[in-house]
Amino acid sequence: MKKLLLIGAAAVVLVVGILVYVLLNVDSIVEMGVNEFGPKVTQTEVHLDNADIGLFSGSGALNGLRVGNPVNRGFKPRDLLAVGTISVQLDRDSLLSDTIIIHEIVIDAPAIVYETQGKMDNFEALLKNIQESTGGSKAEASGESEPAGEQPAESKPSKKLIIENVYVRNGQVTADITGLPGEGLSLDLPEIHIADIGKESGGTTPAKAAAKLVDGLYDGLQQAFKDSGDIVMQGGEWLMDQAGGATQGAQEEVEGAVDELKGLF
């Protein structure tokens, strides 16, 4: 009996020690998680400078997040997304449960690059990478079913997420698309609100949550293109409006500058 009590006490001490470690090192755990698992999920470069999670207040920030372009699908080696600070409000009690509840994520002033290669853009390519890394996209992309006996990587037990609100504000997008001369057209991104990720299912995996975020950003990009008046959808591709829009406007500006120079001389 005495031996059993000692074993039980040792087990309790071990569990408490693990919990204390998690509580005291949650910032480094988040940072390590993003930097270690981000590239595996997206198959691109992902880097987080640091995390600052206030465990007792339930608030925090992710600083210096960069997500690279899917160069494995032929896109230019540069950042698809770069953002200085992402603020987070979460349910602190849920950190030790199977499902982490995040009340709000605010992504402020992100710099986004939208690039096309033929009929595919870099956001679609990133989604394909995420789907493939989680065991779904190869079959989904080809319309085939999963081979018998093979389980997606996400079927393994892992922490789940419920994200109640995501806001993307004050964003800028650089459009590097077919028919656009130079380095690209810079546009203001409309405010994006994505709600209730994983709520209906009682929690979703981080990879599926990431796919929802990419979808939401993509919708915001399309709205920015529509609002610009310079970019049109043709044959399933976003193209410069060759009949007018930015290309025509740029030509008129050049002609005006030439006329001014003639006047000076």
Side-chain angles (χ1 to χ4, degrees):
M1 177 63 72
K2 185 176 180 181
K3 186 176 181 180
L4 289 175
L5 289 173
L6 288 173
I7 293 173
V12 170
V13 169
L14 178 62
V15 171
V16 170
I18 292 172
L19 292 178
V20 169
Y21 175 80
V22 171
L23 292 174
L24 293 179
N25 295 277
V26 65
D27 293 352
S28 60
I29 290 173
V30 171
E31 181 183 336
M32 180 181 67
V34 172
N35 290 330
E36 181 177 347
F37 296 107
K40 293 178 181 178
V41 171
T42 64
Q43 301 180 50
T44 69
E45 290 187 5
V46 177
H47 180 76
L48 177 68
D49 287 345
N50 59 76
D52 182 12
I53 308 296
L55 209 61
F56 297 103
S57 65
S59 64
L62 307 178
N63 302 308
L65 177 66
R66 294 185 297 103
V67 179
N69 237 3
V71 294
N72 63 321
R73 297 186 184 272
F75 292 90
K76 295 177 183 177
R78 56 184 174 184
D79 290 340
L80 181 151
L81 170 69
V83 58
T85 301
I86 301 173
S87 61
V88 181
Q89 292 283 342
L90 51 82
D91 183 340
R92 63 185 183 184
D93 295 332
S94 69
L95 285 172
L96 300 178
S97 69
D98 292 334
T99 303
I100 297 174
I101 299 173
I102 300 175
H103 297 307
E104 183 179 271
I105 298 175
V106 178
I107 303 172
D108 188 44
I112 300 169
V113 172
Y114 176 83
E115 180 186 341
T116 59
Q117 291 283 353
K119 290 187 177 293
M120 180 179 285
D121 61 58
N122 54 344
F123 275 76
E124 291 171 321
L126 184 66
L127 280 173
K128 285 181 179 293
N129 282 356
I130 292 172
Q131 291 167 347
E132 282 188 6
S133 69
T134 57
S137 79
K138 288 182 179 177
E140 290 171 5
S142 63
E144 301 173 357
S145 59
E146 288 286 342
E150 290 189 15
Q151 295 296 323
E154 284 197 327
S155 64
K156 298 176 182 178
S158 62
K159 287 277 188 181
K160 291 187 176 182
L161 297 173
I162 292 176
I163 307 176
E164 296 175 348
N165 292 287
V166 179
Y167 296 96
V168 182
R169 295 171 176 154
N170 307 312
Q172 285 279 326
V173 56
T174 298
D176 185 357
I177 60 178
T178 304
L180 179 64
E183 292 299 318
L185 178 69
S186 292
L187 303 169
D188 291 330
L189 194 67
E191 180 168 314
I192 299 169
H193 178 211
I194 310 165
D196 299 331
I197 297 175
K199 194 168 186 178
E200 289 186 3
S201 59
T204 188
T205 61
K208 287 184 178 179
K212 286 285 186 182
L213 291 173
V214 172
D215 271 338
L217 285 173
Y218 189 72
D219 290 341
L221 288 175
Q222 293 189 80
Q223 189 60 50
F225 295 159
K226 290 176 183 176
D227 294 343
S228 74
D230 297 326
I231 305 174
V232 294
M233 175 68 79
Q234 293 180 0
E237 295 182 72
W238 287 107
L239 303 172
M240 289 304 299
D241 183 3
Q242 299 296 333
T247 305
Q248 181 65 29
Q251 181 179 350
E252 291 172 356
E253 288 180 12
V254 171
E255 290 173 352
V258 171
D259 288 340
E260 288 181 10
L261 286 173
K262 287 180 180 177
L264 288 174
F265 288 102

